[in-house]
Amino acid sequence: MTKVPKLFGSMVFNEQIMRERLPKDVFKALQNTIRTGKPITSDVADVVANAMKDWAIENGATHYTHWFQPMTGITAEKHDSFIQPAVGGTVIMNFSGKQLIKGEPDASSFPSGGLRSTFEARGYTAWDPTSYAFVKGSVLYIPTAFISYSGQVLDKKTPLLRSMDSLDRAVLRVLKLFGKTPERALPSVGAEQEYFLIPEELYKKRPDLIMTGRTLFGAKPPKGQELEDHYFGNIKMRVLEYMEDLDEELWKLGIYSKTRHNEVAPAQHELAPVFGTVNIATDHNQLTMSIMRKVAEKHGLVCLLHEKPFAGVNGSGKHNNWSISTSDGENLLEPGKDLKNNLQFILFVTAIIKAVDEHQDLLRLSVATAGNDHRLGANEAPPAIISMFLGDEITDLLETIASGKEYSNRVGGRLSTGVESVPVIYEDTTDRNRTSPFAFTGNKFEFRSLGSALNIACPNIMINAAVADTLNEFADKLENAKDFEKSARALIKSEYIKHRRIVFNGDNYADEWKEEAKRRGLLNLTSTPEALAYYDREENVKMFERLKIYTPEEVKARKDILLENYCKVINIEALTMCEITLKQILPAATEFSTRLADNVTKLTALGVDATAQTELLKHIAALITDAYRAEQKLSDAHTSAKNEPDLQSEANAYCNAVFATMQELRAYCDRLETLVPKSLWPFPTYGDLLLYV
């Protein structure tokens, strides 16, 4: 491998490349846009475009694309070559500032929730200068926002950028009260990414994996994750070679791939990056998922990013580590050494507590997908109930503020292994909570509810918006205060008392917590349709309007898009289950039962006891009947769901009737798998998929 510093960012039109290739005044103007968010002029855009084109061609590019993130949850791209006709039937390579700034993809073929009709096709992509362009293969990728002809938002990046601007303005208002005037305040995110790797040759034999990304059938193998021997275990050579190639490809694109290790479930692994500004982190995570799949192909593997590809073992999440930093380099969620007197930190944490409590519905629905419904609530995935873990130190401080008592700083003690050669270390002042949905982990909040396939834009839009709205409310109350510190402490006390119900430092899996959460009045939205029903709640729509993130029409459109996606996913899964049951599982079971019947007949004719074979035959015949009836029931439930009058009702039917019947059918088929010989079973088992990488 090339030396990492030389390799890193080698395919990115980053600040270093800009400095080398742009005139000083143009470089300064572009950096001002990146730093402050102020728009760029057409003259500057022309110079930047030409330099970008020359650099891209030197790195093998022949085409460019406006790379955007429609409501499909993945990225989209249309490639245009740099060629322009010249005299004598020749061409020149050209790229203008206008082409850099604006593109015109078809806006009618992407999910729009009714904002666009098929005949209303025009849409625009607009360059996002704050996210660096890069070369991948033979294409220059230009990160962009995507809007309709009438200016309505059709993507995930535009509202993310709007939410960042809203948070920036709100944070600066509050910091001004502390005598601080940084140029900007930006949310930063580090998105840890979990995934499974399985052999490609086995994947191709599993139609459920191909069609849906998860196994719709599969009996539990004799060994799963019970021994807990895979977590942080020795990485198999085939997987390590994949990880090494993956790191190299990510580093070329300036993605700070930092940590790699085995996760809890067999064949499960994790990649963790260094923090980045949230819009760049979102771009990088989308790129990461794409490259993970591509690199896997080179190694004869398939990378599964579904939240729960295998039942009975850990699902895959995406831990969203969120914080706020200023352009001066200050992390506003850093407690410092004197927590008791760090009024700024306490005020910001109180604002986040209030934001999470008042908008727990938005945080929950931001991670609501058909796949994530399988994952939430067990195996290190937090439950559907949104709560916050603050740790003992911060909780104790806030409780003493609420009670009016004196706080005594907690000091981390010395920890010794008892081995003289091992250095003494010092404990942190608080533990970690792996079951909490929204946990403070030292200088950031870790939102652990995200599924592994999710675009992280929506959860961060919700966090940014909720916190921005709360900070604006705090600023309104404090800006005219005669005694700022006294008023701030009084505000912290009153708001914490109102919203302390959202703070829970215990075991989020415990049944007792569910009852306690209910008593506290917290939401427990266990399914995607149930969660999405809250999207266009009046309070939410008003907040989005106040912050200029979404219009009411855009909120409704997003809700409908997500409901429709849920219905389509369950629809595909149900149809796939029916097809596999009728064309593969039942024929295999019938073949075995026929062989058993022949065997019983022959043994009986010889006067040999065939009791075991007879009982097994009866058992399999009964399961075949049960599975067939369940398949018919599933087919009927699916037809009924599609005939519901509206999207919410259809989604509810898919959740409550179709999915429940899918579970019933699976139970019969999985039992058949344990009885039918492996030589007759039509596809690889969990043992094959998980334990033989």
Side-chain angles (χ1 to χ4, degrees), residues 533-552:
Y534 283 77
Y535 210 144
D536 53 358
R537 195 165 60 103
E538 184 179 359
E539 296 91 326
N540 294 333
V541 174
K542 286 182 177 179
M543 181 188 72
F544 290 133
E545 281 193 289
R546 274 196 304 274
L547 298 174
K548 296 181 171 57
I549 295 174
Y550 294 127
T551 65

Side-chain angles (χ1 to χ4, degrees), residues 80-95 99:
D80 286 298
S81 72
F82 290 120
I83 67 169
Q84 179 176 307
V87 294
T90 62
V91 296
I92 59 172
M93 303 296 266
N94 185 61
F95 186 51
Q99 290 170 314

Side-chain angles (χ1 to χ4, degrees), residues 474-544:
F474 280 17
D476 289 341
K477 292 178 179 179
L478 296 173
E479 280 173 341
N480 297 317
K482 294 180 180 179
D483 186 332
F484 166 67
E485 183 171 339
K486 183 178 179 181
S487 298
R489 292 191 181 279
L491 181 63
I492 289 168
K493 178 177 180 178
S494 64
E495 293 295 345
Y496 177 69
I497 290 172
K498 287 179 189 175
H499 301 288
R500 72 203 320 175
R501 66 174 185 167
I502 200 72
V503 177
F504 179 66
N505 293 337
D507 181 4
N508 286 254
Y509 290 164
D511 291 334
E512 294 81 3
W513 166 235
K514 294 179 183 178
E515 294 301 317
E516 173 63 21
K518 186 177 180 180
R519 284 193 294 271
R520 293 187 187 190
L522 301 182
L523 296 172
N524 185 10
L525 308 175
T526 57
S527 71
T528 291
E530 190 178 3
L532 292 177
Y534 283 77
Y535 210 144
D536 53 358
R537 195 165 60 103
E538 184 179 359
E539 296 91 326
N540 294 333
V541 174
K542 286 182 177 179
M543 181 188 72
F544 290 133

Side-chain angles (χ1 to χ4, degrees), residues 269-294:
H269 314 280
E270 181 174 312
L271 176 155
V274 178
F275 276 62
T277 305
V278 66
N279 66 314
I280 297 175
T282 301
D283 286 353
H284 281 182
N285 185 251
Q286 290 295 106
L287 260 179
T288 296
M289 290 191 289
S290 173
I291 294 169
M292 287 168 75
R293 293 187 181 102
K294 188 172 182 179

Side-chain angles (χ1 to χ4, degrees), residues 412-443:
R414 290 161 58 96
L415 295 175
S416 175
T417 62
V419 180
E420 291 184 3
S421 60
V422 176
V424 171
I425 60 175
Y426 292 87
E427 66 176 358
D428 290 301
T429 54
T430 187
D431 203 347
R432 288 190 175 183
N433 190 325
R434 309 302 286 175
T435 68
S436 176
F438 204 82
F440 186 74
T441 56
N443 60 0

Side-chain angles (χ1 to χ4, degrees), residues 16 21 29 51 75 87 103 119 171 247 261 268 399 404 410 433 437 440 460 465 525 605:
Q16 179 182 340
R21 291 177 174 262
T75 58
V87 294
F119 68 90
V171 170
D247 276 341
H261 62 84
Q268 188 185 33
E399 287 294 331
R410 296 169 61 92
N433 190 325
F440 186 74
N460 286 292
L525 308 175

